[in-house]
């Protein structure tokens, strides 16, 4: 609030501005202070008030001027259509999982874990320590901090059988999040116009990354046990593809986890076709009743390109991930990343390394399992009680989501809109299909905020379904 002098100055200046021509210069602060017998601070407050009201504009080093009112006219960006040419990229718009929902709704669409599931104290302490090191000012190597490369390699080495050669730190390229890794793999190992095999349904971000890289997606049906190896082999043979993107552990969105036999057979198919398996181990830290074993741990011939992220398990603010690749594939990926982003922030790398090498990190992961299990079971139970017409085919052994199938005659768009109008945000399953959806699905997160409201969300979903299907 302005004091009486400031208010008086502002009022008198407003009267003067009303008759002054646009662009007229106001008296200096010193002149106004002398004229109104006020201090310079009071005058500055009055000028800031007029600036906030859009009456004047300050030009540093020049003065303050009556603001010129510019006539509004519709912008014409039509020329860009010809300049940019056609596109096969997805239609513009923010994916549902990236929407920020108000805190008064039941958010069942979340793509990231709730804050209470994160190691907040570890992250804050790690960032503070990293800021006091050379990482705050120096440029890290293009492939990543050597210590962080060694940590990622060590994580995979721990699961590697004795008769398989483990990865080395050199095989690791640190990334600014796994999404950039997907883009690099599709550009470097597939190439524009070439086919890539993908599970269907699969991660929406992989679909977008592949589409924007200009590769041609060939969907391979995948169920609760993963893809059929025979079907996968036929897809390789008919398409000529040389890369298969998959999520063997807690697949997003289905929650599927491959058995050891399924992983072995898929790897045999990939090798037989001289191809790559891009293994996205996004949920490695989110096991609930099982512990994932990466397919990459069984391969030392360079067929598996392994992608692991810390963004979801450590903090969304620390976008740090890594790709593990061997041979010339690693060199191509590093060259692409160097051209795209040069390097990953050393500060973020140092903080992420600090978190995952603290003894408290393992304690955090052990405590995370029962929290995820309680949330999962709460949502599964609420759906069973309030929406018996919804089929959750598989209760996942890990991950963050449920894949819920609605009755085949359901109008999915009306369900999503009806839920949002009633205060529940859900993610339509169409965003996870690289081709036509096989049925109406919702992907429901049990890792979002306020799990105590999961029953309310399930009840509202049931009521909306009943109205839509009348």
């Amino acid at each position: 609030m302005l004091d009486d002098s400031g208010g008086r100055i502002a009022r008198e200046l407003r009267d003067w501005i009303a008759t002054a021509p646009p662009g007229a210069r106001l008296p200096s602060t010193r002149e106004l202070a002398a004229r109104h017998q006020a201090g310079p601070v009071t005058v500055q407050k009055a000028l800031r008030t007029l600036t906030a009201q859009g009456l004047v504009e300050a030009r540093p080093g020049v003065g303050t001027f009556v603001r010129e009112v510019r006539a509004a006219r519709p912008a014409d960006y039509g020329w860009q259509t010809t300049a940019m040419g056609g596109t096969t990229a997805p239609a513009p718009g923010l994916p549902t999982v990236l929407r920020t929902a108000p805190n008064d709704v039941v958010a069942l669409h979340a793509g990231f874990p709730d804050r209470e599931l994160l190691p907040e104290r570890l992250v804050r302490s790690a960032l503070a320590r990293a800021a006091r090191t050379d990482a705050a000012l120096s440029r890290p190597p293009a492939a990543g901090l050597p210590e962080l490369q060694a940590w990622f390699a060590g994580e995979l080495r721990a699961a590697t059988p004795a008769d398989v050669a483990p990865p080395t730190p050199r095989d690791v390229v640190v990334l600014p999040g796994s999404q950039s890794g997907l883009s690099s793999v599709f550009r470097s190992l597939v190439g524009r116009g070439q086919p890539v095999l993908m599970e269907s349904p699969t991660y929406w971000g992989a679909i977008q990354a592949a589409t924007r890289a200009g590769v041609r997606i060939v969907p391979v049906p995948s169920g609760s046990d993963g893809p059929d190896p025979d079907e996968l082999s036929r897809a390789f043979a008919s398409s000529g593809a040389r890369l298969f993107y998959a999520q063997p552990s807690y697949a997003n969105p289905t929650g599927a986890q491959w058995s050891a036999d399924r992983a072995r057979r898929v790897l045999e198919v990939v090798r037989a076709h001289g191809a790559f398996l891009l293994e996205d181990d996004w949920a490695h830290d989110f096991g609930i009743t099982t512990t994932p074993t990466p397919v990459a741990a069984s391969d030392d011939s360079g067929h598996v390109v392994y992608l692991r992220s810390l963004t979801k398990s450590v903090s969304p603010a620390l976008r740090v991930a890594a790709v593990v690749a061997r041979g010339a594939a690693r060199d191509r990926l590093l060259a692409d990343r160097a051209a795209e982003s040069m390097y990953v922030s050393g500060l973020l790398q140092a903080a992420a390394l600090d978190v995952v090498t603290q003894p408290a990190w393992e304690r955090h992961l052990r405590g995370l399992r029962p929290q995820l299990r309680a949330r999962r079971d709460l949502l599964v139970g609420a759906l069973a009680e309030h929406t018996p017409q919804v089929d959750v085919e598989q209760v996942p052994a890990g991950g963050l989501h449920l894949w819920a199938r609605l009755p085949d005659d359901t109008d999915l768009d009306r369900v999503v809109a009806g839920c949002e109008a009633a205060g529940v945000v859900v993610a339509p399953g169409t965003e996870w299909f690289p081709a036509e959806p096989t049925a109406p699905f919702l992907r429901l997160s049990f890792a979002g905020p306020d799990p105590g409201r999961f029953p309310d969300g399930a009840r509202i979903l049931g009521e909306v379904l009943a109205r839509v299907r009348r």
Side-chain angles (χ1 to χ4, degrees):
M1 295 292 291
L2 290 173
D3 56 24
D4 290 342
S5 297
R8 175 171 52 81
I9 295 170
R11 286 193 299 273
E12 292 186 16
L13 285 176
R14 272 196 296 268
D15 292 341
W16 179 81
I17 290 168
T19 60
R25 181 174 178 173
L26 274 67
S28 68
T29 300
R30 181 178 298 176
E31 292 177 79
L32 290 172
R35 181 183 303 174
H36 295 282
Q37 297 184 339
V41 174
T42 301
V43 173
Q44 289 290 349
K45 287 183 178 179
L47 292 175
R48 282 198 296 269
T49 298
L50 297 175
T51 301
Q53 293 172 350
L55 299 177
V56 299
E57 57 184 358
R59 301 174 191 172
V62 180
T64 303
F65 299 82
V66 176
R67 187 175 181 185
E68 297 185 47
V69 179
R70 296 174 174 84
R73 67 174 185 270
D76 181 7
Y77 303 122
W79 65 270
Q80 294 183 353
T81 301
T82 301
M84 293 188 300
T87 177
T88 57
L94 197 65
T96 304
V97 298
L98 294 183
R99 288 180 50 192
T100 302
N103 57 14
D104 59 345
V105 306
V106 184
L108 297 178
H109 71 299
F112 291 83
D114 186 33
R115 185 167 169 172
E116 69 177 26
L117 298 175
L118 301 176
E120 182 173 344
R121 294 179 63 182
L122 280 177
V123 171
R124 290 185 181 278
S125 298
L127 283 169
R129 283 191 289 269
R132 295 193 294 267
T133 68
D134 288 344
L137 298 172
S138 59
R139 178 182 65 82
L145 294 179
E147 299 86 352
L148 188 57
Q149 289 179 287
W151 182 84
F152 277 111
E155 285 283 289
L156 198 51
R157 185 186 303 113
T160 302
D163 59 343
V164 176
T168 68
R170 185 193 177 278
D171 299 325
V172 177
V173 178
V174 179
L175 309 166
S178 60
Q179 191 68 23
S180 66
L182 292 173
S183 298
S184 284
V185 171
F186 294 140
R187 285 194 300 262
S188 304
L189 304 186
V190 180
R192 182 169 293 275
Q194 298 303 306
V196 61
L197 305 184
M198 280 192 180
E199 293 177 290
S200 181
T202 193
Y203 170 47
W204 63 267
I207 298 171
Q208 289 206 347
T211 304
R212 294 190 181 280
V215 306
R216 178 167 56 87
I217 299 175
V218 178
V220 177
S222 187
S224 57
D225 299 321
D228 181 333
D230 294 332
E231 185 71 28
L232 177 64
S233 183
R234 285 191 290 270
F236 269 122
S238 63
S239 68
R242 287 295 177 264
L243 187 141
F244 173 43
Y245 168 79
Q247 298 174 313
S249 295
Y250 321 135
N252 177 5
T254 63
Q257 182 178 23
W258 298 0
S259 66
D261 181 66
R262 180 62 54 92
R264 178 186 57 78
R265 292 181 62 199
V266 167
L267 187 53
E268 287 175 353
V269 169
V270 169
R271 286 171 172 165
H273 287 274
F276 292 101
L277 167 64
L278 174 53
E279 178 181 9
D280 186 351
D281 197 12
W282 74 277
H284 186 87
D285 298 318
F286 297 129
I288 298 176
T289 57
T290 62
T291 299
T293 299
V295 179
S298 300
D299 173 66
D300 57 7
S301 56
H303 284 281
V304 181
V305 176
Y306 177 73
L307 189 62
R308 180 172 173 190
S309 174
L310 297 176
T311 300
K312 285 185 171 66
S313 55
V314 173
S315 169
L318 297 184
R319 289 195 58 75
V320 174
V323 61
V324 183
R326 309 195 197 201
R330 179 263 186 193
D331 298 334
R332 282 200 184 184
L333 289 169
L334 178 58
D336 182 88
R337 290 316 315 157
E340 178 72 15
S341 58
M342 292 193 287
Y343 55 85
V344 180
S345 163
L347 187 66
L348 297 185
Q349 290 188 66
L353 178 65
D354 188 314
V355 170
V356 297
T357 53
Q358 293 290 331
W361 169 246
E362 294 298 332
R363 291 198 297 272
H364 166 74
L365 293 181
R366 287 195 296 271
L368 188 59
R369 282 181 175 254
Q371 292 184 72
L372 290 175
R373 182 169 190 161
R375 285 165 162 265
R376 181 200 65 183
D377 293 350
L378 176 62
L379 184 55
V380 169
L383 291 171
E385 178 180 356
H386 298 290
T387 59
Q389 65 272 54
V390 172
D391 179 26
V392 178
E393 179 180 343
Q394 181 176 37
V395 177
L400 306 174
H401 321 105
L402 300 180
W403 188 232
R405 178 170 178 166
L406 309 184
D408 289 343
D409 60 348
T410 302
D411 186 328
L412 184 59
D413 291 338
R414 288 183 61 194
V415 170
V416 173
C419 284
E420 184 157 359
V424 179
V425 183
V426 294
T430 47
E431 295 180 3
W432 281 266
F433 283 95
E436 292 78 11
T438 56
F441 287 92
L442 294 175
R443 198 202 69 168
L444 305 174
S445 172
F446 52 80
D450 200 359
R453 300 188 66 192
F454 288 175
D456 292 336
R459 175 181 52 78
I460 292 171
L461 172 59
E463 293 170 354
V464 170
L465 270 173
R467 287 199 304 270
V468 167
R469 300 186 65 234
R470 280 178 189 158

